[in-house]
Amino acid sequence: MTDSIPVAGGSGGGASRRLRFLMLNWRDPENPLAGGAERVSLAFLRGLVGRGHEVDWFSFAFPGGAPEGVLDGIRLHRAGVLARRFSRRSDGIADKRGSTW
């Protein structure tokens, strides 16, 4: 597996670029109610960070949780930060809720 995703329409000469991904989920891994979905998502997103991509995770706030943070290179954003702001600068969006934000 390569470390970067090839650029669409590239010449096939190994051109690649860093992509930006946005995860939308009710909870993030630091939420006390986090479960299996958050663990699986975290593993997947760690892989993207490990390949050099930028990853943001937007979720709802929880008591005692900071509004923003970083976990394993993944930028966490909890309520109060508009998801629309991030969706405009992301190349890929994953929504664990199954609906639009």
Side-chain angles (χ1 to χ4, degrees):
M1 181 176 282
T2 62
D3 288 340
S4 300
I5 296 174
V7 175
S11 63
S16 61
R17 69 181 179 110
R18 185 176 181 171
L19 298 177
R20 298 170 306 224
F21 291 90
L22 172 63
M23 167 60 78
L24 303 176
N25 196 1
W26 288 102
R27 300 180 185 114
D28 66 65
E30 294 182 345
N31 187 310
L33 299 177
E38 289 77 27
R39 286 191 294 273
V40 169
S41 296
L42 178 60
F44 175 74
L45 297 177
R46 280 179 178 149
L48 292 173
V49 169
R51 288 172 175 79
H53 301 296
E54 294 179 41
V55 179
D56 288 279
W57 187 321
F58 181 85
S59 64
F60 289 104
F62 58 89
E68 296 191 349
V70 177
L71 176 64
D72 297 337
I74 301 162
R75 290 181 302 270
L76 304 173
H77 310 275
R78 299 180 183 108
V81 178
L82 298 175
R84 183 181 310 254
R85 172 180 155 202
F86 295 101
S87 65
R88 289 185 183 147
R89 64 177 199 90
S90 298
D91 297 301
I93 299 174
D95 181 358
K96 295 299 287 183
R97 291 179 352 130
S99 62
T100 59
W101 286 66

